[in-house]
Amino acid sequence: MKRILITAKNSYIGKAFATWTANKYMVEYISCRTEEWRKLDLSKFDVILHVAGIAHVSTDPNMESIYYKVNRDLTIDLATKAKSEGVKQFIFLSSLIVYGDSSSEMRIINQNTIPNPSNFYGNSKLQAEAGIKPLESDNFKIVTLRPPMIYGKGSKGNYPKLAKAAMKIPIFPDIDNQRSMLHIDNLSEFIRLMIENEENGLFFPQNREYVKTSEMVKSIAEVHGKKVKLTKIFNPLLSIIGIKIGIINKVFGNLVYEQSLSEYKQNYRVRNFKESIRVTEK
């Protein structure tokens, strides 16, 4: 049985993965908030699932150095130690954010799209990727994942805010946008396959379906027996203020991976979109 070390004791992704793969692996957690992790003997682990990091986007310039220290430097130092102590596989959770922000126009990321972070969160993730890449070898496989927005029961970020809106408001803007998203169970299954197949490389897991924000809000409401009327009456106003207010673009903007980027030799999409909403809300 493989031994997996998950960085970040309270990680949403780490805990979900451990639950999803219960009894398949021997899992341990470690906090990276202090320097104590440097004293740990990593030689007993086969895989490190590195999910520790600062996940939210901040525009506070005083936070910039912290982002690079945690998201970049910690990742490189941990991977270097892991390789030197004989760990066989290092799985790093990067992000779609390395490609920049969503847009009012359709944005499709394909294999030729060059990363272009728009903030130090995205740049710190991209620099971490570059920093661990030279460590890769036949005996030290590195898997880098660039997932889109991750959601599921207990998740943070925009999803719970939209779910709250679905429960409280009777009408919602009907804007034709498309987003790549990834349910936590689909991500957990993908990580399991990475471990089982001893993979290495760069991967772009996502749900099979793109998501339209308004349809997601409507679907959430339906699970709870409520109805949300979708209307385009607010669209002209939102188009104008969306240019100036980032949160509008973040919620209703467009940003997707080309579907071919996310194909894998085995099926990891264990939840379709409708089912994932039911599982999340129930």
Side-chain angles (χ1 to χ4, degrees):
M1 183 179 289
K2 289 186 176 181
R3 298 179 67 99
I4 316 294
L5 177 65
I6 299 176
T7 61
K9 289 184 176 180
N10 296 313
S11 162
Y12 173 68
I13 295 172
K15 286 187 173 182
F17 171 75
T19 300
W20 184 257
T21 58
N23 302 320
K24 289 185 174 68
Y25 308 118
M26 296 181 66
V27 174
E28 292 185 31
Y29 298 88
I30 186 173
S31 171
C32 293
R33 291 181 178 274
T34 68
E35 296 295 301
E36 287 299 308
W37 66 268
R38 296 182 186 275
K39 302 176 184 178
L40 183 67
D41 178 12
L42 300 182
S43 63
K44 63 181 179 179
F45 297 104
D46 300 291
V47 181
I48 291 181
L49 175 56
H50 183 45
V51 292
I54 304 176
H56 64 278
V57 176
S58 173
T59 56
D60 182 355
N62 295 322
M63 290 287 293
E64 183 169 4
S65 63
I66 299 176
Y67 273 78
Y68 287 107
K69 180 180 180 181
V70 175
N71 289 350
R72 179 192 63 193
D73 300 344
L74 170 62
T75 301
I76 296 171
D77 290 351
L78 180 63
T80 301
K81 176 177 169 65
K83 181 178 181 178
S84 69
E85 297 182 12
V87 176
K88 298 179 179 65
Q89 188 182 43
F90 188 87
I91 302 176
F92 173 52
L93 262 289
S94 186
S95 171
L96 172 66
I97 199 71
V98 301
Y99 293 104
D101 296 326
S102 55
S103 168
S104 58
E105 304 297 326
M106 191 60 190
R107 280 200 68 197
I108 303 176
I109 306 300
N110 59 40
Q111 61 182 356
N112 298 317
T113 304
I114 299 173
N116 184 29
S118 59
N119 51 57
F120 42 78
Y121 167 47
N123 198 37
S124 64
K125 285 289 191 179
L126 188 61
Q127 289 190 23
E129 291 184 21
I132 63 176
K133 181 65 176 175
L135 298 172
E136 192 169 37
S137 68
D138 290 341
N139 297 320
F140 187 63
K141 298 181 183 296
I142 295 178
V143 171
T144 298
L145 306 181
R146 289 179 182 169
M149 185 180 111
I150 298 165
Y151 68 102
K153 196 169 191 65
S155 63
K156 299 179 180 179
N158 283 333
Y159 180 89
K161 295 176 183 177
L162 290 169
K164 188 175 181 180
M167 299 296 291
K168 290 189 173 183
I169 60 178
I171 58 174
F172 194 82
D174 186 10
I175 293 179
D176 291 323
N177 70 317
Q178 286 190 323
R179 304 298 295 258
S180 285
M181 292 178 64
L182 182 62
H183 187 260
I184 188 64
D185 289 350
N186 292 342
L187 173 60
S188 295
E189 177 64 7
F190 191 82
I191 294 172
R192 186 190 71 80
L193 290 173
M194 295 294 100
I195 294 171
E196 289 298 308
N197 296 331
E198 299 181 352
E199 287 282 10
N200 68 288
L202 178 61
F203 297 89
F204 312 84
Q206 67 173 329
N207 288 351
R208 193 174 300 281
E209 312 96 324
Y210 296 144
V211 178
K212 179 179 174 181
T213 303
S214 58
E215 290 296 337
M216 181 174 70
V217 169
K218 184 178 180 181
S219 296
I220 293 171
E222 288 174 349
V223 170
H224 296 280
K226 297 181 179 295
K227 291 185 178 180
V228 173
K229 179 178 175 59
L230 303 181
T231 176
K232 295 183 181 294
I233 194 171
F234 303 113
N235 291 18
L237 177 61
L238 289 173
S239 296
I240 295 173
I241 65 175
I243 298 173
K244 297 182 179 181
I245 303 178
I247 188 64
I248 299 297
N249 187 51
K250 191 172 183 179
V251 172
F252 294 105
N254 296 273
L255 186 59
V256 300
Y257 281 130
E258 185 179 87
Q259 284 291 352
S260 61
L261 264 186
S262 303
E263 294 298 326
Y264 188 63
K265 59 188 177 184
Q266 291 170 262
N267 179 46
Y268 63 90
R269 286 131 163 182
V270 294
R271 309 279 189 204
N272 63 37
F273 178 69
K274 288 288 187 181
E275 183 185 3
S276 75
I277 295 297
R278 287 197 302 272
V279 169
T280 299
E281 293 304 308
K282 291 289 187 179

